[in-house]
Amino acid sequence: MKKYTNNKRFRLFALTLLGFGLWSCDNNLLETIPNDRLSVDVFWKTENDAKIAVNSLYTDLDGTNLVSWDAVTDIAHTNQPFNVEAYIESGTYDATSSKVFNEWSAAYKGVRAANYFLENVDKIPSANATVINQLKGEAKVLRAYQYIKLTGLFGPVPLVTTSLSLQEGREVVNATVPELWDFIDKELTEAAALLPATYPAADKGRVTKGAALGLLARANLLAGRYQKAADAADLVIKSGAYGLYESYEKLFSYAAENNKEVLLDKQFIKDTYSNGIFQQLAPYSQKNGGSTFVPTKALVDTYETTDGKKITDAGSGYNPAKPYEKRDSRLKYSVFLEGDVLPSGIVFKPQPTSGTADAIGSTYIASTTGFNIKKYINTDDYANPGNSGINIILLRYAEVLLTFAEAKIELNQIDASVFSAINLVRNGRNDVKQPSVTAGTQAELRDLIRRERTVELAFEGQHLFDIRRWKTAEKVIPGPVYGITFTNAQGQLVTVEAVSVNKVFDSSRHYLWPIPQKEINLSPLLKQNPNW
Protein backbone atom coordinates (compact mmCIF):
# COMPACT_ATOMS: atom_id res chain seq x y z
CA MET A 1 0.00 0.00 0.00
CA LYS A 2 1.07 3.55 -0.64
CA LYS A 3 2.35 5.52 2.33
CA TYR A 4 1.42 9.19 2.28
CA THR A 5 3.85 11.71 3.66
CA ASN A 6 2.85 14.45 6.04
CA ASN A 7 4.21 16.91 3.49
CA LYS A 8 1.60 15.80 0.95
CA ARG A 9 -1.23 16.39 3.39
CA PHE A 10 0.26 19.71 4.46
CA ARG A 11 0.33 20.89 0.84
CA LEU A 12 -3.33 20.12 0.45
CA PHE A 13 -4.11 22.05 3.60
CA ALA A 14 -2.12 24.94 2.14
CA LEU A 15 -4.02 24.73 -1.12
CA THR A 16 -7.32 24.85 0.74
CA LEU A 17 -6.28 27.93 2.66
CA LEU A 18 -5.07 29.76 -0.40
CA GLY A 19 -8.00 28.70 -2.50
CA PHE A 20 -10.65 30.00 -0.12
CA GLY A 21 -8.66 32.89 1.32
CA LEU A 22 -7.84 33.69 4.91
CA TRP A 23 -10.36 35.65 6.91
CA SER A 24 -10.96 37.04 10.37
CA CYS A 25 -13.65 38.92 12.26
CA ASP A 26 -13.49 42.23 14.01
CA ASN A 27 -15.99 44.05 16.15
CA ASN A 28 -15.40 47.15 14.04
CA LEU A 29 -17.14 46.37 10.77
CA LEU A 30 -15.45 49.32 9.09
CA GLU A 31 -12.07 47.58 9.56
CA THR A 32 -12.96 44.10 8.37
CA ILE A 33 -10.40 42.16 6.35
CA PRO A 34 -11.59 40.93 2.92
CA ASN A 35 -12.52 37.24 3.01
CA ASP A 36 -12.31 36.65 -0.74
CA ARG A 37 -8.53 36.94 -1.11
CA LEU A 38 -5.25 36.45 0.72
CA SER A 39 -4.63 39.52 2.89
CA VAL A 40 -1.28 40.87 3.99
CA ASP A 41 -3.00 41.91 7.22
CA VAL A 42 -3.12 38.30 8.39
CA PHE A 43 -0.54 36.57 6.19
CA TRP A 44 3.20 36.84 5.53
CA LYS A 45 3.84 36.97 9.27
CA THR A 46 5.63 33.69 10.01
CA GLU A 47 7.88 31.08 8.43
CA ASN A 48 4.88 28.78 8.42
CA ASP A 49 3.01 31.28 6.23
CA ALA A 50 5.88 31.14 3.76
CA LYS A 51 5.84 27.33 3.73
CA ILE A 52 2.09 27.25 3.17
CA ALA A 53 2.44 29.71 0.29
CA VAL A 54 5.26 27.88 -1.46
CA ASN A 55 3.51 24.53 -1.02
CA SER A 56 0.57 25.86 -3.02
CA LEU A 57 2.87 26.52 -6.00
CA TYR A 58 3.35 22.79 -6.55
CA THR A 59 -0.28 22.40 -7.56
CA ASP A 60 0.47 24.37 -10.74
CA LEU A 61 2.91 21.73 -12.00
CA ASP A 62 1.87 19.59 -14.94
CA GLY A 63 0.20 16.28 -14.28
CA THR A 64 -1.64 13.88 -16.55
CA ASN A 65 -1.69 16.50 -19.34
CA LEU A 66 1.90 15.50 -20.13
CA VAL A 67 0.64 12.50 -22.09
CA SER A 68 -1.42 14.72 -24.38
CA TRP A 69 1.74 16.37 -25.73
CA ASP A 70 2.97 13.02 -27.01
CA ALA A 71 -0.43 12.41 -28.60
CA VAL A 72 0.14 15.19 -31.13
CA THR A 73 3.44 13.63 -32.27
CA ASP A 74 4.25 10.47 -34.19
CA ILE A 75 4.48 8.15 -31.18
CA ALA A 76 0.89 8.42 -29.95
CA HIS A 77 -2.58 9.24 -31.22
CA THR A 78 -5.66 11.01 -29.85
CA ASN A 79 -8.13 8.16 -29.94
CA GLN A 80 -11.41 10.06 -30.22
CA PRO A 81 -11.79 12.54 -33.08
CA PHE A 82 -13.80 15.01 -31.00
CA ASN A 83 -10.98 15.58 -28.47
CA VAL A 84 -9.25 18.95 -28.91
CA GLU A 85 -5.86 17.27 -29.40
CA ALA A 86 -7.26 15.58 -32.50
CA TYR A 87 -7.54 18.98 -34.16
CA ILE A 88 -3.87 19.61 -33.45
CA GLU A 89 -3.03 16.25 -34.99
CA SER A 90 -4.97 17.11 -38.13
CA GLY A 91 -3.52 20.61 -38.37
CA THR A 92 -6.95 22.24 -38.16
CA TYR A 93 -6.36 24.18 -34.95
CA ASP A 94 -5.63 27.88 -34.62
CA ALA A 95 -5.17 30.63 -32.03
CA THR A 96 -8.67 30.00 -30.65
CA SER A 97 -7.91 26.37 -29.69
CA SER A 98 -8.92 25.58 -26.12
CA LYS A 99 -5.90 23.25 -25.75
CA VAL A 100 -3.52 26.03 -26.72
CA PHE A 101 -5.22 28.50 -24.39
CA ASN A 102 -5.44 26.10 -21.46
CA GLU A 103 -1.74 25.23 -21.57
CA TRP A 104 -0.86 28.93 -21.79
CA SER A 105 -3.17 30.01 -18.97
CA ALA A 106 -2.16 27.14 -16.67
CA ALA A 107 1.52 28.02 -17.08
CA TYR A 108 0.99 31.72 -16.46
CA LYS A 109 -1.15 30.90 -13.43
CA GLY A 110 1.92 29.17 -12.04
CA VAL A 111 4.13 32.12 -12.99
CA ARG A 112 1.75 34.60 -11.34
CA ALA A 113 1.62 32.59 -8.11
CA ALA A 114 5.42 32.32 -7.96
CA ASN A 115 5.81 36.03 -8.64
CA TYR A 116 3.42 36.85 -5.80
CA PHE A 117 5.33 34.60 -3.43
CA LEU A 118 8.72 36.08 -4.30
CA GLU A 119 7.39 39.63 -3.93
CA ASN A 120 6.04 39.01 -0.44
CA VAL A 121 8.20 36.43 1.29
CA ASP A 122 10.75 38.99 2.49
CA LYS A 123 8.02 40.64 4.57
CA ILE A 124 8.36 37.77 7.00
CA PRO A 125 10.55 38.71 10.00
CA SER A 126 12.54 35.48 10.10
CA ALA A 127 15.85 34.94 11.79
CA ASN A 128 16.38 31.79 9.74
CA ALA A 129 17.64 33.06 6.39
CA THR A 130 18.45 29.52 5.25
CA VAL A 131 14.80 28.46 5.40
CA ILE A 132 13.56 31.58 3.59
CA ASN A 133 16.24 31.21 0.92
CA GLN A 134 15.30 27.57 0.43
CA LEU A 135 11.68 28.54 -0.12
CA LYS A 136 12.76 31.24 -2.57
CA GLY A 137 14.78 28.60 -4.39
CA GLU A 138 11.73 26.35 -4.66
CA ALA A 139 9.62 29.19 -6.06
CA LYS A 140 12.29 30.12 -8.60
CA VAL A 141 12.52 26.53 -9.85
CA LEU A 142 8.75 26.22 -10.13
CA ARG A 143 8.57 29.49 -12.05
CA ALA A 144 11.41 28.43 -14.35
CA TYR A 145 9.62 25.12 -14.98
CA GLN A 146 6.64 27.06 -16.35
CA TYR A 147 8.85 29.21 -18.57
CA ILE A 148 10.62 26.15 -20.01
CA LYS A 149 7.23 24.83 -21.07
CA LEU A 150 6.00 28.18 -22.39
CA THR A 151 9.15 28.80 -24.42
CA GLY A 152 9.15 25.26 -25.77
CA LEU A 153 5.52 25.41 -26.85
CA PHE A 154 5.09 29.04 -27.89
CA GLY A 155 8.56 30.52 -28.40
CA PRO A 156 8.71 34.30 -27.77
CA VAL A 157 6.27 34.74 -24.86
CA PRO A 158 6.03 37.62 -22.37
CA LEU A 159 8.59 37.44 -19.57
CA VAL A 160 6.65 38.47 -16.48
CA THR A 161 8.46 38.46 -13.14
CA THR A 162 6.23 40.73 -11.04
CA SER A 163 2.53 41.06 -10.33
CA LEU A 164 0.85 43.15 -12.99
CA SER A 165 -1.86 45.75 -12.73
CA LEU A 166 -4.70 45.63 -15.23
CA GLN A 167 -3.08 48.36 -17.30
CA GLU A 168 0.35 46.70 -17.15
CA GLY A 169 -1.25 43.50 -18.36
CA ARG A 170 -2.46 45.31 -21.46
CA GLU A 171 1.08 46.46 -22.22
CA VAL A 172 3.07 43.22 -22.07
CA VAL A 173 5.25 42.39 -25.06
CA ASN A 174 7.00 39.30 -26.36
CA ALA A 175 10.44 38.58 -25.00
CA THR A 176 12.87 37.07 -27.46
CA VAL A 177 13.59 33.37 -27.17
CA PRO A 178 17.27 34.01 -26.21
CA GLU A 179 16.09 36.39 -23.48
CA LEU A 180 13.79 33.69 -22.12
CA TRP A 181 16.49 31.03 -22.10
CA ASP A 182 18.87 33.50 -20.43
CA PHE A 183 16.30 34.15 -17.71
CA ILE A 184 15.62 30.44 -17.18
CA ASP A 185 19.35 29.71 -16.97
CA LYS A 186 19.91 32.49 -14.41
CA GLU A 187 16.84 31.54 -12.40
CA LEU A 188 17.77 27.87 -12.08
CA THR A 189 21.45 28.58 -11.40
CA GLU A 190 20.49 30.94 -8.58
CA ALA A 191 17.95 28.49 -7.22
CA ALA A 192 20.40 25.59 -7.19
CA ALA A 193 22.64 27.56 -4.85
CA LEU A 194 19.75 28.03 -2.41
CA LEU A 195 18.42 24.48 -2.31
CA PRO A 196 19.49 21.41 -0.32
CA ALA A 197 20.54 18.18 -1.96
CA THR A 198 17.97 16.17 0.02
CA TYR A 199 15.13 16.59 2.49
CA PRO A 200 13.87 14.59 5.46
CA ALA A 201 11.33 11.90 4.61
CA ALA A 202 8.40 14.13 5.60
CA ASP A 203 9.41 16.64 2.93
CA LYS A 204 9.85 14.25 0.03
CA GLY A 205 8.61 15.84 -3.17
CA ARG A 206 10.04 19.28 -2.54
CA VAL A 207 12.37 20.77 -5.13
CA THR A 208 16.03 19.90 -4.54
CA LYS A 209 19.32 21.20 -5.88
CA GLY A 210 19.35 18.21 -8.21
CA ALA A 211 15.92 19.12 -9.62
CA ALA A 212 17.10 22.67 -10.32
CA LEU A 213 20.22 21.39 -12.09
CA GLY A 214 18.28 18.73 -13.98
CA LEU A 215 15.84 21.33 -15.28
CA LEU A 216 18.81 23.55 -16.12
CA ALA A 217 20.21 20.73 -18.25
CA ARG A 218 16.83 20.21 -19.94
CA ALA A 219 16.40 23.93 -20.67
CA ASN A 220 19.83 24.32 -22.18
CA LEU A 221 19.38 21.23 -24.32
CA LEU A 222 16.13 22.68 -25.65
CA ALA A 223 17.94 25.97 -26.28
CA GLY A 224 20.75 24.24 -28.18
CA ARG A 225 23.27 25.42 -25.59
CA TYR A 226 24.98 22.08 -25.44
CA GLN A 227 27.97 22.88 -23.25
CA LYS A 228 25.74 24.36 -20.56
CA ALA A 229 23.42 21.36 -20.83
CA ALA A 230 26.30 18.91 -20.48
CA ASP A 231 27.78 20.82 -17.55
CA ALA A 232 24.49 20.96 -15.62
CA ALA A 233 23.75 17.29 -16.25
CA ASP A 234 27.30 16.40 -15.19
CA LEU A 235 26.76 18.16 -11.86
CA VAL A 236 23.70 15.99 -11.22
CA ILE A 237 25.59 12.84 -12.19
CA LYS A 238 28.62 13.65 -10.04
CA SER A 239 26.47 14.59 -7.05
CA GLY A 240 25.86 10.90 -6.42
CA ALA A 241 22.39 11.73 -5.13
CA TYR A 242 20.51 9.91 -7.89
CA GLY A 243 20.52 6.60 -9.71
CA LEU A 244 18.31 4.42 -11.86
CA TYR A 245 15.50 2.54 -10.19
CA GLU A 246 16.21 -1.16 -10.47
CA SER A 247 13.03 -2.03 -12.37
CA TYR A 248 11.69 -0.16 -15.40
CA GLU A 249 8.54 -2.28 -15.20
CA LYS A 250 7.77 -1.01 -11.69
CA LEU A 251 9.08 2.54 -12.13
CA PHE A 252 5.57 3.98 -12.56
CA SER A 253 3.99 2.01 -9.71
CA TYR A 254 3.04 3.01 -6.19
CA ALA A 255 5.85 0.89 -4.79
CA ALA A 256 8.43 3.00 -6.63
CA GLU A 257 7.23 6.44 -5.56
CA ASN A 258 9.93 8.82 -4.32
CA ASN A 259 12.66 6.47 -5.51
CA LYS A 260 16.23 7.56 -6.23
CA GLU A 261 15.55 8.13 -9.93
CA VAL A 262 12.92 10.84 -9.43
CA LEU A 263 14.22 14.41 -9.45
CA LEU A 264 10.80 16.07 -9.69
CA ASP A 265 7.23 14.84 -9.69
CA LYS A 266 3.71 16.03 -9.01
CA GLN A 267 2.39 14.26 -5.97
CA PHE A 268 -1.16 13.01 -5.56
CA ILE A 269 -3.20 11.36 -2.81
CA LYS A 270 -6.12 8.99 -3.29
CA ASP A 271 -9.43 10.35 -2.04
CA THR A 272 -7.97 13.79 -1.33
CA TYR A 273 -5.98 15.09 -4.29
CA SER A 274 -6.27 12.40 -6.92
CA ASN A 275 -5.87 12.12 -10.67
CA GLY A 276 -7.69 10.08 -13.29
CA ILE A 277 -4.80 8.66 -15.27
CA PHE A 278 -6.07 5.07 -15.04
CA GLN A 279 -9.50 6.10 -16.28
CA GLN A 280 -7.92 8.25 -18.97
CA LEU A 281 -5.46 5.74 -20.46
CA ALA A 282 -6.54 2.20 -19.59
CA PRO A 283 -8.05 -0.16 -22.19
CA TYR A 284 -11.82 0.05 -22.56
CA SER A 285 -12.35 -3.36 -20.92
CA GLN A 286 -10.98 -1.94 -17.69
CA LYS A 287 -14.16 -0.41 -16.29
CA ASN A 288 -14.67 1.67 -19.42
CA GLY A 289 -11.10 2.91 -19.56
CA GLY A 290 -10.91 5.93 -21.85
CA SER A 291 -8.03 4.95 -24.18
CA THR A 292 -7.85 8.72 -24.64
CA PHE A 293 -4.32 8.63 -26.02
CA VAL A 294 -2.89 5.45 -27.53
CA PRO A 295 0.52 4.34 -28.83
CA THR A 296 1.22 4.03 -32.55
CA LYS A 297 3.09 1.53 -34.68
CA ALA A 298 5.68 4.25 -35.27
CA LEU A 299 6.64 4.09 -31.60
CA VAL A 300 6.44 0.31 -31.29
CA ASP A 301 8.70 -0.10 -34.31
CA THR A 302 11.31 2.18 -32.71
CA TYR A 303 12.18 -0.33 -29.98
CA GLU A 304 15.24 -2.38 -30.91
CA THR A 305 15.52 -6.13 -30.95
CA THR A 306 17.28 -7.73 -27.99
CA ASP A 307 20.53 -7.85 -29.94
CA GLY A 308 20.54 -4.08 -30.26
CA LYS A 309 19.46 -3.81 -33.90
CA LYS A 310 16.68 -1.75 -35.42
CA ILE A 311 13.92 -4.00 -36.76
CA THR A 312 14.76 -2.80 -40.28
CA ASP A 313 18.43 -3.82 -39.99
CA ALA A 314 19.65 -6.84 -41.86
CA GLY A 315 20.06 -9.77 -39.53
CA SER A 316 17.90 -8.26 -36.80
CA GLY A 317 15.81 -11.42 -36.57
CA TYR A 318 12.61 -9.39 -36.46
CA ASN A 319 9.56 -11.47 -37.39
CA PRO A 320 6.50 -9.42 -38.50
CA ALA A 321 4.27 -12.38 -37.63
CA LYS A 322 5.61 -12.29 -34.06
CA PRO A 323 6.46 -8.62 -33.73
CA TYR A 324 6.91 -8.48 -29.95
CA GLU A 325 9.29 -11.38 -29.54
CA LYS A 326 12.96 -10.67 -28.76
CA ARG A 327 12.41 -6.91 -28.39
CA ASP A 328 13.77 -4.32 -25.99
CA SER A 329 11.92 -5.08 -22.75
CA ARG A 330 10.91 -1.43 -22.33
CA LEU A 331 8.34 -2.05 -25.06
CA LYS A 332 6.31 -4.52 -23.00
CA TYR A 333 6.67 -2.34 -19.90
CA SER A 334 5.40 0.78 -21.69
CA VAL A 335 2.67 -0.55 -24.01
CA PHE A 336 -0.14 -3.06 -23.54
CA LEU A 337 0.44 -5.73 -26.20
CA GLU A 338 -1.61 -8.67 -27.46
CA GLY A 339 -1.71 -11.34 -24.74
CA ASP A 340 -0.88 -9.09 -21.78
CA VAL A 341 -2.80 -9.66 -18.57
CA LEU A 342 -4.77 -6.53 -17.69
CA PRO A 343 -5.40 -5.18 -14.15
CA SER A 344 -8.79 -6.92 -14.03
CA GLY A 345 -7.11 -10.29 -14.71
CA ILE A 346 -8.39 -10.74 -18.27
CA VAL A 347 -6.14 -11.00 -21.32
CA PHE A 348 -5.72 -8.05 -23.67
CA LYS A 349 -7.04 -9.03 -27.12
CA PRO A 350 -7.31 -6.00 -29.42
CA GLN A 351 -7.57 -7.79 -32.76
CA PRO A 352 -10.71 -6.70 -34.65
CA THR A 353 -12.12 -10.23 -34.67
CA SER A 354 -11.40 -11.04 -31.01
CA GLY A 355 -14.94 -10.32 -29.84
CA THR A 356 -13.64 -8.59 -26.70
CA ALA A 357 -14.37 -5.09 -25.39
CA ASP A 358 -10.88 -4.10 -26.51
CA ALA A 359 -11.33 -5.26 -30.11
CA ILE A 360 -10.56 -2.53 -32.62
CA GLY A 361 -13.88 -1.19 -33.89
CA SER A 362 -15.97 -2.72 -31.11
CA THR A 363 -16.67 0.79 -29.80
CA TYR A 364 -15.37 4.24 -30.60
CA ILE A 365 -13.60 4.24 -27.23
CA ALA A 366 -11.52 1.10 -27.75
CA SER A 367 -8.00 1.82 -29.01
CA THR A 368 -7.98 2.43 -32.75
CA THR A 369 -4.39 1.21 -33.00
CA GLY A 370 -4.74 -1.92 -30.87
CA PHE A 371 -2.15 -0.58 -28.43
CA ASN A 372 -2.73 1.02 -25.04
CA ILE A 373 -0.38 2.91 -22.74
CA LYS A 374 0.83 0.82 -19.81
CA LYS A 375 2.84 3.39 -17.84
CA TYR A 376 0.96 4.49 -14.70
CA ILE A 377 -1.76 1.83 -15.14
CA ASN A 378 -1.70 0.09 -11.76
CA THR A 379 -3.87 -2.76 -10.50
CA ASP A 380 -4.27 -0.75 -7.27
CA ASP A 381 -6.46 1.73 -9.17
CA TYR A 382 -8.76 -0.77 -10.85
CA ALA A 383 -11.39 -0.62 -8.10
CA ASN A 384 -11.80 3.15 -8.51
CA PRO A 385 -10.25 4.22 -11.83
CA GLY A 386 -10.95 7.92 -11.40
CA ASN A 387 -9.29 8.09 -8.00
CA SER A 388 -5.62 7.43 -8.65
CA GLY A 389 -3.03 8.69 -6.19
CA ILE A 390 0.00 7.80 -8.31
CA ASN A 391 2.61 10.53 -8.55
CA ILE A 392 3.32 11.83 -12.07
CA ILE A 393 7.05 11.99 -12.79
CA LEU A 394 8.20 15.26 -14.37
CA LEU A 395 11.97 14.70 -14.40
CA ARG A 396 14.03 11.62 -13.73
CA TYR A 397 17.67 10.60 -13.73
CA ALA A 398 17.49 8.64 -16.98
CA GLU A 399 16.62 11.87 -18.80
CA VAL A 400 19.61 13.60 -17.20
CA LEU A 401 21.91 10.82 -18.43
CA LEU A 402 20.51 11.05 -21.96
CA THR A 403 20.74 14.85 -21.92
CA PHE A 404 24.39 14.64 -20.92
CA ALA A 405 25.14 12.13 -23.67
CA GLU A 406 23.24 14.02 -26.36
CA ALA A 407 24.84 17.35 -25.51
CA LYS A 408 28.31 15.80 -25.64
CA ILE A 409 27.51 14.11 -28.95
CA GLU A 410 26.33 17.40 -30.46
CA LEU A 411 29.55 19.03 -29.24
CA ASN A 412 31.47 16.11 -30.78
CA GLN A 413 33.03 15.51 -27.37
CA ILE A 414 32.58 11.77 -27.68
CA ASP A 415 34.43 10.01 -24.88
CA ALA A 416 33.98 7.25 -22.32
CA SER A 417 31.55 9.37 -20.27
CA VAL A 418 29.12 9.45 -23.22
CA PHE A 419 29.08 5.67 -23.60
CA SER A 420 28.81 5.23 -19.84
CA ALA A 421 25.69 7.43 -19.67
CA ILE A 422 24.04 5.74 -22.67
CA ASN A 423 24.79 2.23 -21.49
CA LEU A 424 23.53 2.89 -17.98
CA VAL A 425 20.13 3.67 -19.50
CA ARG A 426 20.33 0.71 -21.90
CA ASN A 427 21.32 -1.96 -19.41
CA GLY A 428 21.68 -0.48 -15.92
CA ARG A 429 18.42 -1.96 -14.58
CA ASN A 430 17.59 -5.52 -13.60
CA ASP A 431 14.94 -5.79 -16.32
CA VAL A 432 16.43 -3.77 -19.22
CA LYS A 433 19.46 -5.37 -20.85
CA GLN A 434 20.12 -3.88 -24.28
CA PRO A 435 23.67 -4.40 -25.60
CA SER A 436 26.24 -1.79 -24.68
CA VAL A 437 27.36 0.80 -27.21
CA THR A 438 31.13 1.16 -27.42
CA ALA A 439 31.77 3.10 -30.63
CA GLY A 440 30.15 5.14 -33.37
CA THR A 441 30.44 8.25 -35.46
CA GLN A 442 28.75 11.47 -34.39
CA ALA A 443 25.94 10.82 -36.90
CA GLU A 444 25.47 7.22 -35.74
CA LEU A 445 25.40 8.20 -32.09
CA ARG A 446 23.01 11.08 -32.79
CA ASP A 447 20.59 8.61 -34.35
CA LEU A 448 20.99 6.24 -31.42
CA ILE A 449 20.52 8.85 -28.67
CA ARG A 450 17.38 10.16 -30.34
CA ARG A 451 16.00 6.64 -30.48
CA GLU A 452 16.92 6.11 -26.82
CA ARG A 453 15.12 9.27 -25.73
CA THR A 454 12.04 8.27 -27.72
CA VAL A 455 11.63 4.83 -26.17
CA GLU A 456 12.94 5.56 -22.68
CA LEU A 457 10.77 8.67 -22.17
CA ALA A 458 7.69 7.64 -24.16
CA PHE A 459 4.44 9.15 -22.80
CA GLU A 460 6.35 11.40 -20.39
CA GLY A 461 5.79 14.61 -22.32
CA GLN A 462 9.23 15.20 -23.84
CA HIS A 463 8.89 13.91 -27.40
CA LEU A 464 7.04 16.95 -28.78
CA PHE A 465 9.84 19.22 -27.60
CA ASP A 466 12.46 16.80 -28.91
CA ILE A 467 11.18 16.52 -32.47
CA ARG A 468 10.74 20.27 -32.62
CA ARG A 469 14.34 21.01 -31.63
CA TRP A 470 15.62 18.21 -33.85
CA LYS A 471 13.55 19.73 -36.67
CA THR A 472 12.28 16.26 -37.56
CA ALA A 473 8.60 16.86 -36.79
CA GLU A 474 7.82 17.68 -40.43
CA LYS A 475 9.21 14.27 -41.42
CA VAL A 476 7.84 11.98 -38.71
CA ILE A 477 4.38 13.38 -37.98
CA PRO A 478 2.51 13.68 -41.32
CA GLY A 479 0.48 10.78 -42.66
CA PRO A 480 -1.85 7.99 -41.56
CA VAL A 481 -1.76 6.41 -38.11
CA TYR A 482 -0.97 2.70 -38.03
CA GLY A 483 -1.42 0.14 -35.29
CA ILE A 484 -1.03 -3.58 -34.66
CA THR A 485 -0.10 -6.17 -37.26
CA PHE A 486 -1.99 -9.46 -36.99
CA THR A 487 -2.77 -12.58 -38.99
CA ASN A 488 -6.30 -12.58 -40.38
CA ALA A 489 -8.57 -15.56 -41.06
CA GLN A 490 -6.99 -16.05 -44.48
CA GLY A 491 -3.54 -16.34 -42.94
CA GLN A 492 -2.45 -12.91 -44.22
CA LEU A 493 -0.56 -10.34 -42.20
CA VAL A 494 -2.66 -7.18 -41.87
CA THR A 495 -1.60 -3.86 -40.36
CA VAL A 496 -4.35 -1.77 -38.81
CA GLU A 497 -4.81 1.79 -40.02
CA ALA A 498 -6.85 4.23 -37.93
CA VAL A 499 -9.93 5.19 -39.92
CA SER A 500 -10.05 8.69 -41.44
CA VAL A 501 -6.94 9.92 -39.65
CA ASN A 502 -4.22 11.91 -41.36
CA LYS A 503 -1.70 13.73 -39.21
CA VAL A 504 -0.55 17.09 -40.52
CA PHE A 505 2.51 19.17 -39.70
CA ASP A 506 3.14 22.41 -41.57
CA SER A 507 6.79 23.34 -41.11
CA SER A 508 6.02 27.00 -41.86
CA ARG A 509 4.09 27.40 -38.61
CA HIS A 510 3.63 24.25 -36.54
CA TYR A 511 7.05 24.34 -34.89
CA LEU A 512 5.41 26.83 -32.52
CA TRP A 513 1.87 26.93 -31.22
CA PRO A 514 -0.02 30.18 -31.82
CA ILE A 515 -0.29 32.67 -28.98
CA PRO A 516 -3.92 32.41 -27.82
CA GLN A 517 -6.15 34.96 -29.51
CA LYS A 518 -7.71 35.85 -26.17
CA GLU A 519 -4.30 37.03 -24.96
CA ILE A 520 -3.68 39.15 -28.04
CA ASN A 521 -7.13 40.69 -27.66
CA LEU A 522 -6.30 41.62 -24.06
CA SER A 523 -2.71 42.67 -24.77
CA PRO A 524 -2.60 44.27 -28.24
CA LEU A 525 1.19 44.75 -28.14
CA LEU A 526 1.71 40.98 -28.26
CA LYS A 527 2.86 39.71 -31.64
CA GLN A 528 1.47 36.49 -33.07
CA ASN A 529 3.83 33.69 -34.09
CA PRO A 530 4.65 33.42 -37.82
CA ASN A 531 1.88 32.31 -40.21
CA TRP A 532 -0.85 32.05 -37.60
Side-chain angles (χ1 to χ4, degrees), residues 1 57 61 202 210 213 257-258 298 519-520 532:
M1 293 294 292
L57 304 182
L61 287 169
L213 293 172
E257 287 191 329
N258 300 310
E519 297 301 318
I520 292 179
W532 284 104

Side-chain angles (χ1 to χ4, degrees), residues 199-326:
Y199 291 96
D203 277 335
K204 283 289 186 183
R206 304 190 84 91
V207 172
T208 61
K209 181 187 295 288
L213 293 172
L215 287 173
L216 183 63
R218 174 189 287 179
N220 280 298
L221 188 69
L222 290 173
R225 300 175 176 184
Y226 298 120
Q227 190 61 61
K228 287 190 172 214
D231 291 345
D234 194 40
L235 287 174
V236 178
I237 294 167
K238 289 180 177 175
S239 73
Y242 302 95
L244 295 183
Y245 188 63
E246 56 268 21
S247 170
Y248 193 89
E249 180 183 15
K250 303 297 183 184
L251 180 57
F252 303 91
S253 70
Y254 285 101
E257 287 191 329
N258 300 310
N259 72 76
K260 61 184 178 180
E261 185 165 344
V262 178
L263 278 74
L264 181 65
D265 62 5
K266 185 168 187 177
Q267 304 213 342
F268 292 91
I269 306 176
K270 280 180 182 287
D271 301 320
T272 308
Y273 186 57
S274 61
N275 65 65
I277 197 160
F278 186 106
Q279 189 174 54
Q280 180 184 33
L281 300 181
Y284 181 62
S285 64
Q286 304 303 287
K287 291 194 173 180
N288 297 330
S291 301
T292 307
F293 308 115
V294 296
T296 63
K297 176 178 168 60
L299 171 68
V300 171
D301 287 353
T302 304
Y303 290 85
E304 297 175 348
T305 58
T306 51
D307 60 3
K309 295 180 181 292
K310 293 183 286 187
I311 65 171
T312 54
D313 288 345
S316 70
Y318 173 71
N319 182 357
K322 298 179 179 179
Y324 316 129
E325 291 188 358
K326 298 182 179 179

Side-chain angles (χ1 to χ4, degrees), residues 7 111 119 145 235 341 354 393 402 427 445 461 466:
N7 187 52
V111 169
E119 287 171 342
Y145 175 92
L235 287 174
V341 177
S354 69
I393 299 172
L402 294 174
N427 52 46
L445 292 174
D466 284 345

Side-chain angles (χ1 to χ4, degrees), residues 382-430:
Y382 177 73
N384 193 349
N387 184 31
S388 174
I390 191 71
N391 296 342
I392 304 299
I393 299 172
L394 304 177
L395 175 66
R396 55 189 179 91
Y397 187 59
E399 181 190 336
V400 174
L401 292 169
L402 294 174
T403 294
F404 174 79
E406 182 178 354
K408 296 271 283 184
I409 290 167
E410 291 300 329
L411 293 165
N412 208 19
Q413 297 174 1
I414 299 169
D415 56 23
S417 67
V418 172
F419 296 111
S420 175
I422 293 172
N423 291 329
L424 192 56
V425 176
R426 287 174 63 83
N427 52 46
R429 306 178 195 271
N430 295 337

